[in-house]
């Protein structure tokens, strides 16, 4: 499961086959109103992993939820305050804020108010965001990796940037903006993970292969040259409608935004020909 490879130059590489970010609590939440976004799917993944005995082949990591201060490292204070305060019982008192933050009642919006919304955002943006970053080859989320190293009695220098860690079952809320929910996403765990990585690395490359354009991540780093965002996505009359090929960033971030808009029906053969 874990091994430390030694090289002739004295360097070493920690080989991690699988790190699994497991938090069964995420499956307790429900968007309601027939919303197609169902966190319960994550619990189904955990159940399958457990019943197939795959936990024995993994390092199981149970992350802690992010605090208010951690969430507002990117998101606006008043936006997170609203998420923390609103619930199904008082939603009618917040109609102005609902429109401002692109949210609504259950069954009436992609991003509805539901019971436990703040806790859901805390859990969903914690270790899963870190794991998402690691899965994309970003190197190391400091608090996550140090926990692994401490458990193995190793030093940070023992961990190479070529270590691979897989994608967790839930995470990647790439549509959330600084002060706006969008596309079932409230808190952008990817942006929060990248901000952590920028504390210890000069530059980060983010690659998004979801069918939808990674607009929230792109927007967060559109003006900087420290993060290059690359998005492969379906383009045209398709949510969120952004990600044109000539959207390349601006100011210091010019040419650090790369969009690969794909037409409906694109397949492997056609992509390779084009």
């Amino acid at each position: 499961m874990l091994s430390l490879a030694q090289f002739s130059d004295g360097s070493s590489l920690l080989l991690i086959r699988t790190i699994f970010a497991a938090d069964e609590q995420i499956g307790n939440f429900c968007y309601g109103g027939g919303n197609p976004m169902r966190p319960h799917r994550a619990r189904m993944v955990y159940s399958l992993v457990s019943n197939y005995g795959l936990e024995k082949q993994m390092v199981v990591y149970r992350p802690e939820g992010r605090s208010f201060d951690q969430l507002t490292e990117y998101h606006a204070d008043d936006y997170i305050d609203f998420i923390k305060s609103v619930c199904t019982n008082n939603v009618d008192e917040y109609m102005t804020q609902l429109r401002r933050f692109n949210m609504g009642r259950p069954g009436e919006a992609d991003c509805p108010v539901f019971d436990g919304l703040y806790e859901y955002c805390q859990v969903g943006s914690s270790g899963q965001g870190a794991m998402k970053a690691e899965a994309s080859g970003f190197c190391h989320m400091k608090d996550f990796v140090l926990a692994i190293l401490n458990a193995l009695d190793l030093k940070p220098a023992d961990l190479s940037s070529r270590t691979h860690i897989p994608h967790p079952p839930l995470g990647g809320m790439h549509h959330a903006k600084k002060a706006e929910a969008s596309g079932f996403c409230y808190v952008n765990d990817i942006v929060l993970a990248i901000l952590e990585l920028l504390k210890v690395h000069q530059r980060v490359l983010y690659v998004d292969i979801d069918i939808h354009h990674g607009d929230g991540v792109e927007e967060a780093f559109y003006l900087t040259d420290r993060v290059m965002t690359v998005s492969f996505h379906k383009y045209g009359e398709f949510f969120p409608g952004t990600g044109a090929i000539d959207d390349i960033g601006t100011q210091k971030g010019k040419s650090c935004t790369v969009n690969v808009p794909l037409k409906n029906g694109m397949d492997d053969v056609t992509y390779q020909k084009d």
Side-chain angles (χ1 to χ4, degrees):
M1 182 168 55
L2 293 175
S3 60
L4 188 64
Q6 301 286 346
F7 298 94
S8 58
D9 62 359
S11 63
S12 56
L13 169 62
L14 182 64
L15 303 177
I16 302 180
R17 285 175 54 188
T18 305
I19 301 287
F20 188 69
D23 194 322
E24 293 83 354
Q25 179 186 353
I26 200 73
N28 295 335
F29 301 98
C30 178
Y31 280 49
N35 194 295
M37 179 61 178
R38 300 179 181 179
H40 178 66
R41 291 178 298 181
R43 179 177 288 162
M44 295 171 65
V45 173
Y46 301 148
S47 178
L48 287 170
V49 167
S50 178
N51 282 284
Y52 276 100
L54 298 178
E55 289 177 319
K56 299 176 183 178
Q57 308 299 322
M58 303 176 179
V59 173
V60 179
Y61 174 66
R62 290 181 169 80
E64 296 181 359
R66 285 181 180 265
S67 66
F68 181 90
D69 289 341
Q70 289 173 318
L71 293 173
T72 53
E73 286 185 8
Y74 172 61
H75 292 285
D77 288 16
D78 56 350
Y79 175 60
I80 299 301
D81 265 328
F82 168 72
I83 289 176
K84 189 175 182 179
S85 302
V86 72
C87 65
T88 55
N89 291 330
N90 65 12
V91 65
D92 290 338
E93 302 172 16
Y94 290 94
M95 297 309 296
T96 299
Q97 291 94 324
L98 281 177
R99 289 189 291 269
R100 176 185 173 192
F101 297 129
N102 195 34
M103 294 167 61
R105 298 186 183 91
E108 298 179 359
D110 287 342
C111 298
V113 172
F114 57 85
D115 292 332
L117 175 58
Y118 180 63
E119 290 75 16
Y120 171 74
C121 292
Q122 287 182 295
V123 174
S125 62
S126 56
Q128 294 163 349
M131 292 292 285
K132 179 79 174 179
E134 292 287 356
S136 300
F138 287 162
C139 299
H140 314 295
M141 184 78 166
K142 185 170 63 174
D143 55 349
F144 169 74
V145 173
L146 288 179
I148 298 297
L149 293 178
N150 289 337
L152 297 171
D153 195 26
L154 297 173
K155 298 177 181 179
D158 295 322
L159 190 57
S160 164
S161 63
R162 291 182 293 172
T163 300
H164 298 290
I165 300 176
H167 180 16
L170 192 66
M173 300 296 181
H174 61 172
H175 296 306
K177 311 300 194 302
K178 185 178 182 70
E180 180 184 316
S182 178
F184 314 120
C185 306
Y186 302 88
V187 168
N188 201 313
D189 57 319
I190 302 172
V191 171
L192 292 170
I194 292 174
L195 291 176
E196 285 293 326
L197 293 166
L198 289 174
K199 294 177 182 178
V200 293
H201 298 286
Q202 183 59 34
R203 287 186 171 85
V204 170
L205 170 64
Y206 168 71
V207 180
D208 191 321
I209 58 172
D210 188 87
I211 191 171
H212 303 98
H213 176 232
D215 56 333
V217 183
E218 177 181 291
E219 180 179 300
F221 302 108
Y222 205 69
L223 303 179
T224 180
D225 61 357
R226 293 192 63 196
V227 178
M228 173 172 279
T229 62
V230 182
S231 179
F232 296 79
H233 51 271
K234 182 176 176 179
Y235 185 73
E237 295 182 3
F238 193 70
F239 181 86
T242 53
I245 196 169
D246 55 355
D247 289 337
I248 60 171
T250 190
Q251 297 180 23
K252 290 184 66 175
K254 187 175 182 179
S255 299
C256 290
T257 293
V258 179
N259 282 298
V260 185
L262 303 173
K263 295 181 180 179
N264 190 38
M266 177 66 69
D267 56 22
D268 292 348
V269 174
T270 306
Y271 180 82
Q272 291 173 356
K273 287 181 179 180
D274 291 347

